């Protein structure tokens, strides 16, 4: 099981099971192909699509899970949620990897992922996917700078521009 670096407990122990009189495990289980999804909390389909694409790239997924920014959880906020995007992304990827449930609730990730004004993601407002991608890369790159995974984004998503002049 993947361990939470700061709490010392396995991340899989943070995955709660659903309880209640109307819980039907077969209706709330992973897909038949073995995947779990991300719950849409309103108008965040742009974010979900991008996060699912990130998750489906094994090199990126395991690089994020391996990253240790040596920062304790930042819970000094009204919701007492770890306000570190890297930590929330790690928890999301660990959940998607290990859960038996059908989906992940990204509310803590949305709280940690701030807009340009420093406000949490408003799940009721549709945003631009390209803007989210650029902002995600910027945030992740900054959080990985002090880790051995500092070149993760460059190695997975980087490219080179080449100009070729063909004379015939």
């Amino acid at each position: 099981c993947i361990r939470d670096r700061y709490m010392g407990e396995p991340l899989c122990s943070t995955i709660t099971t659903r309880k209640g009189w109307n819980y039907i495990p077969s209706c709330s289980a992973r897909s038949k192909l073995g995947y779990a999804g991300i719950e849409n909390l309103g108008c965040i389909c742009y974010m979900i699509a991008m996060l699912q694409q990130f998750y489906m790239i094994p090199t990126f997924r395991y690089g994020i899970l391996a990253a240790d920014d040596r920062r304790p959880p930042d819970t000094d906020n009204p919701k007492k949620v770890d306000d570190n995007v890297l930590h929330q992304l790690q928890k999301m990827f660990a959940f998607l990897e290990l859960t038996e449930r059908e989906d992940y609730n990204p509310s803590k990730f949305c709280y940690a992922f701030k807009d340009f004004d420093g406000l949490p993601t408003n799940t009721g407002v549709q945003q631009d996917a390209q803007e989210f991608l650029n902002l995600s890369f910027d945030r992740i790159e900054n959080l990985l700078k002090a880790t051995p995974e500092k070149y993760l984004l460059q190695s997975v998503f980087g490219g080179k521009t080449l100009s070729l002049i063909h004379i015939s």
Side-chain angles (χ1 to χ4, degrees):
C1 187
I2 301 165
R3 290 203 168 274
D4 184 325
R5 287 181 178 72
Y6 307 103
M7 303 298 186
E9 64 183 271
L11 280 172
C12 58
S13 70
T14 65
I15 299 172
T16 57
T17 56
R18 291 191 181 183
K19 295 178 179 155
W21 65 271
N22 63 346
Y23 172 60
I24 304 169
S26 61
C27 294
S28 298
R30 291 174 86 94
S31 75
K32 291 179 180 168
L33 298 174
Y35 298 111
I38 301 172
E39 182 181 348
N40 190 349
L41 303 175
C43 298
I44 59 169
C45 53
Y46 66 95
M47 180 186 289
I48 292 169
M50 210 54 74
L51 291 169
Q52 287 173 327
Q53 290 299 313
F54 291 162
Y55 176 79
M56 293 305 294
I57 302 169
T59 306
F60 183 72
R61 177 186 344 150
Y62 295 123
I64 290 293
L65 288 170
D68 183 1
D69 65 358
R70 292 184 166 76
R71 294 181 184 172
D74 180 10
T75 57
D76 187 23
N77 55 65
K79 292 199 175 202
K80 302 294 183 208
V81 170
D82 186 357
D83 212 7
N84 183 311
V85 173
L86 177 61
H87 298 170
Q88 292 299 337
L89 190 58
Q90 288 173 322
K91 288 179 182 181
M92 181 186 303
F93 284 0
F95 184 95
L96 293 173
E97 181 92 5
L98 300 169
T99 190
E100 293 299 319
R101 291 178 52 188
E102 68 179 335
D103 60 13
Y104 174 78
N105 183 320
S107 59
K108 292 179 181 179
F109 177 85
C110 291
Y111 184 80
F113 194 86
K114 306 290 192 262
D115 64 15
F116 291 113
D117 297 324
L119 299 172
T121 302
N122 183 343
T123 59
V125 177
Q126 179 70 37
Q127 300 290 328
D128 182 65
Q130 180 68 31
E131 185 177 308
F132 175 74
L133 175 67
N134 292 334
L135 194 54
S136 296
F137 280 177
D138 183 59
R139 300 272 164 78
I140 294 167
E141 188 173 47
N142 285 326
L143 290 165
L144 293 176
K145 277 185 182 177
T147 72
E149 289 78 20
K150 61 185 167 189
Y151 299 114
L152 179 64
L153 287 172
Q154 183 181 357
S155 66
V156 175
F157 300 107
K160 295 182 179 181
T161 302
L162 178 68
S163 295
L164 177 65
I165 299 173
H166 181 62
I167 301 173
S168 33

